[in-house]
Amino acid sequence: LVDDGSAPDTYQNSSFCYPDVISKDEEDALLTDLKSRMKRSRYQKGHWDAVIINYKETELVEFDGSLSHTTLGILARIRSQLTEAHFGQSGDDKAIGSSRPVSWLPSHAIQLHAEGELNAHVDSVRFSGDLVAGLSLGSSCIMRLRPSLADEGGSEKPATDDAGYVDLLLRPRSLYALTGPSRYSFSHELLPHQAVFRPLNVTVDREDRFSIIFRDEKYES
């Protein structure tokens, strides 16, 4: 669900949220794999740029036999769905551009503690391309997009809601996608525990959550 009632004109309907892209059984299978991979890891207190606090992270290597066939199938299916929806020649406003070859960077998974933080940032453009997407598992949260106020060094300045914002309600088993302005010109962050998603008047109780991140490889024509 996307709340764009306070969106600035520069937003251009550039974020999407797809509910229930996997089944509950598939979510359980993914969580089993991810928890097994992360159980010996400690929560990290902070990323080097302070974007994310109190989290665990792992790259999902798909060719070393460490992931179940179910997980591998889900990752492949979601990449295929993202390619069709956002890189095809559908002619609708989801399409990033005309059909072009799409290569995917390795996915990575994040476990964010219930009291952890994901602060405002724009994902690096050094290697990744036109789309950032995430599969949410285990707990709901609200993602807020705001016009980026990054300085020349790439650090995001404190932002207010005065310039407009967009909220995405990320329920378990949903998939979000950031394209165009949302990918490049808006920061994204997770709101704290008990934030309210206004269209439904829903207070979101954040618990430990997992996410799997999908990024296409930067395209050089």
Side-chain angles (χ1 to χ4, degrees):
L1 292 173
V2 178
D3 175 16
D4 59 2
S6 298
D9 292 340
T10 53
Y11 167 64
Q12 300 175 9
N13 297 321
S14 54
S15 69
F16 308 89
C17 189
Y18 306 102
D20 296 318
V21 297
I22 61 172
S23 68
K24 183 64 170 67
D25 287 344
E26 288 176 322
E27 180 186 30
D28 290 342
L30 287 172
L31 287 172
T32 296
D33 261 4
L34 298 183
K35 289 177 180 179
S36 175
R37 292 175 70 89
M38 295 187 184
K39 65 182 179 182
R40 293 184 178 87
S41 302
R42 294 183 178 181
Y43 282 101
Q44 299 181 51
K45 296 302 181 183
H47 196 263
W48 64 270
D49 56 7
V51 164
I52 186 168
I53 298 170
N54 214 356
Y55 72 104
K56 302 178 183 181
E57 185 172 19
T58 185
E59 184 174 294
L60 300 182
V61 180
E62 298 180 41
F63 306 106
D64 65 356
S66 63
L67 298 175
S68 69
H69 290 299
T70 298
T71 292
L72 291 173
I74 294 168
L75 297 181
R77 189 179 79 220
I78 289 177
R79 289 189 185 116
S80 177
Q81 291 170 339
L82 288 168
T83 298
E84 181 178 357
H86 296 286
F87 293 96
Q89 295 176 323
S90 58
D92 62 22
D93 60 1
K94 296 180 183 179
I96 288 171
S98 60
S99 182
R100 64 165 174 82
V102 179
S103 298
W104 293 94
L105 297 171
S107 292
H108 66 277
I110 299 171
Q111 180 180 358
L112 186 66
H113 191 276
E115 298 178 359
E117 299 176 17
L118 181 67
N119 296 313
H121 69 287
V122 177
D123 281 23
S124 171
V125 299
R126 184 176 181 185
F127 299 111
S128 59
D130 294 326
L131 181 142
V132 174
L135 178 65
S136 297
L137 306 167
S139 175
S140 296
C141 67
I142 298 173
M143 175 176 282
R144 176 158 292 180
L145 312 179
R146 310 184 213 231
S148 175
L149 298 176
D151 59 25
E152 292 183 358
S155 298
E156 198 68 30
K157 298 177 183 177
T160 68
D161 295 333
D162 296 342
Y165 63 91
V166 176
D167 283 347
L168 283 66
L169 178 59
L170 307 182
R171 287 173 165 156
R173 302 182 294 282
S174 69
L175 178 72
Y176 72 83
L178 308 180
T179 67
S182 290
R183 162 68 179 97
Y184 292 111
S185 303
F186 281 63
S187 67
H188 58 278
E189 64 192 286
L190 295 186
L191 298 187
H193 177 62
Q194 293 195 329
V196 176
F197 188 69
R198 296 182 310 166
L200 302 180
N201 195 29
V202 171
T203 299
V204 176
D205 295 324
R206 259 187 49 192
E207 302 174 359
D208 281 17
R209 72 182 301 271
F210 291 77
S211 57
I212 298 177
I213 307 302
F214 299 83
R215 296 188 179 96
D216 66 304
E217 191 170 6
K218 190 172 185 177
Y219 179 66
E220 302 290 351
S221 58

